[in-house]
Amino acid sequence: MLETHRLTKTYSNGVHALSDVSLDVGPGLYGLLGPNGAGKSTLMRTLATLQLPDAGTIRFGDIDVLSQPDELRKLLGYLPQQIGAYPGVTAESLLERFAWLHGNTDRKGRRREVMELLDKVNLTEFRSQLVSTYSGGMLRRFGIALALLGSPRLLIVDEPTAGLDPAERDRFHRVLADVAADALVLLSTHIVEDVEHLCGRLSIMSEGRIVAEGTPAELRHPLEGKLWTSTIPRGGRLPEALHLAARPNGTAVVVHADKPPGQSWALREPTLQDAYHAALREQLSSPS
Ligand code: ADP
């Protein structure tokens, strides 16, 4: 179990990147969803002991993370937004070197760990290829293999799917789901599809605060019977909407209201995307 209590961070430029962030994260895959600038990376770096908050506490099981960062580091795997450039070295050889740095000095044991990790992230076939020639998706999966060295109990993955094509994203999701069977995986993203079917629970973050938390179904539930949709022809007056999307024949509009705004409106089954928009809108209309 990973628990944060009232984490706060204000950068020297005055930006409140974290305001009273309290979270209880259980086993499996947990999502942290929010727009750019919400504070996700600040939170992930803080949890990964790469930076300190101004106030608050973090516990992982029995470990008081802020006073015993080295204890957490023994159990931690961290995949940053960008992994380093490693020219002229194959995936297999690079992973071997890092496994050695991780303390796996037994040659046979190290070899076994490297082969198991390459298999886990579906890169066995490409193990002799230079890492510098990997595609974006392969690099992300290779990053997961690096982060999994030493079998961490906590894996922190910061915005891993930006720039991946849909097939690569699916492959990456499957790897994460697999890892989450044995470890707590915390995944930050601004893409709703990353968390919708993958994460048992998630938090929605905006402007340094957690504005909603729960399972995808719990987050959708308050909107049931309150979403209405219609396509407004081009040039027509657009109502105040939860969200809008361009269509060939006009603009598809979703409105959050107790009653339909008019005759041509149909009830809409809420999606997590709707819940995300509603949570962000609520935060913006009642900043504290
Ligand atoms: P996210 O990962 O959700 O995009 P970040 O944690 O990167 O959010 O950023 C949160 C806010 O803090 C943003 O306004 C960002 O500009 C600001 N910020 C992030 N890092 C720094 C820093 N090192 N110094 C000053 N401001 C920062």
Side-chain angles (χ1 to χ4, degrees):
M1 191 82 173
L2 176 71
E3 295 164 87
T4 75
H5 184 64
R6 305 196 71 172
L7 284 182
T8 300
K9 174 75 181 177
T10 302
Y11 286 112
S12 52
N13 57 0
V15 172
H16 299 300
L18 300 177
S19 302
D20 271 345
V21 170
S22 297
L23 280 179
D24 285 343
V25 181
L29 196 50
Y30 190 95
L32 185 64
L33 176 66
N36 289 334
K40 303 182 297 299
S41 281
T42 300
L43 179 58
M44 301 299 248
R45 288 197 305 263
T46 306
L47 296 175
T49 74
L50 297 171
Q51 67 180 67
L52 286 170
D54 299 331
T57 57
I58 308 172
R59 291 197 73 82
F60 182 61
D62 293 338
I63 303 171
D64 178 344
V65 173
L66 298 177
S67 64
Q68 305 166 279
D70 287 339
E71 292 305 307
L72 184 80
R73 286 174 198 145
K74 290 179 196 159
L75 306 177
L76 174 74
Y78 174 65
L79 179 67
Q81 286 182 357
Q82 300 286 334
I83 73 165
Y86 301 102
V89 55
T90 67
E92 191 174 18
S93 145
L94 188 57
L95 211 46
E96 284 238 21
R97 290 181 209 184
F98 274 94
W100 186 83
L101 286 174
H102 246 264
N104 194 345
T105 48
D106 165 55
R107 206 171 67 85
K108 268 195 182 160
R110 190 166 68 233
R111 182 95 204 120
R112 193 169 51 241
E113 183 179 28
V114 165
M115 293 314 284
E116 278 173 11
L117 285 176
L118 286 168
D119 180 53
K120 191 164 233 168
V121 300
N122 301 317
L123 287 174
T124 304
E125 198 186 327
F126 307 102
R127 66 183 185 278
S128 308
Q129 197 172 317
L130 297 180
V131 174
S132 53
T133 64
Y134 271 9
S135 70
M138 291 162 86
L139 260 187
R140 297 306 200 293
R141 283 185 280 130
F142 182 70
I144 288 284
L146 281 178
L148 287 178
L149 283 167
S151 306
R153 307 303 312 144
L154 171 64
L155 179 66
I156 293 183
V157 188
D158 196 5
E159 296 259 7
T161 56
L164 296 190
D165 71 37
E168 281 177 330
R169 216 163 72 190
D170 280 351
R171 212 171 290 127
F172 189 81
H173 285 171
R174 286 202 299 275
V175 169
L176 282 186
D178 191 32
V179 173
D182 305 315
L184 197 164
V185 181
L186 192 58
L187 164 76
S188 83
T189 184
H190 63 274
I191 302 168
V192 174
E193 291 79 15
D194 279 344
V195 289
E196 189 153 30
H197 304 295
L198 201 57
C199 296
R201 297 188 76 84
L202 67 135
S203 282
I204 298 175
M205 202 172 178
S206 168
E207 299 188 338
R209 292 175 188 280
I210 305 294
V211 294
E213 203 276 339
T215 65
E218 283 166 358
L219 292 169
R220 288 191 304 261
H221 180 70
L223 297 177
E224 265 161 36
K226 294 186 173 176
L227 292 185
W228 311 94
T229 184
S230 182
T231 300
I232 311 286
R234 214 167 302 288
R237 212 174 129 260
L238 296 173
E240 194 177 322
L242 192 59
H243 57 93
L244 307 164
R247 294 286 177 266
N249 53 346
T251 305
V253 182
V254 176
V255 164
H256 181 193
D258 288 336
K259 292 190 182 136
Q263 274 186 350
S264 62
W265 293 76
L267 186 65
R268 173 180 165 97
E269 194 63 40
T271 64
L272 187 60
Q273 185 92 39
D274 296 329
Y276 179 48
H277 285 293
L280 295 185
R281 171 179 275 250
E282 212 168 295
Q283 154 79 359
L284 292 178
S285 61
S286 61
S288 48

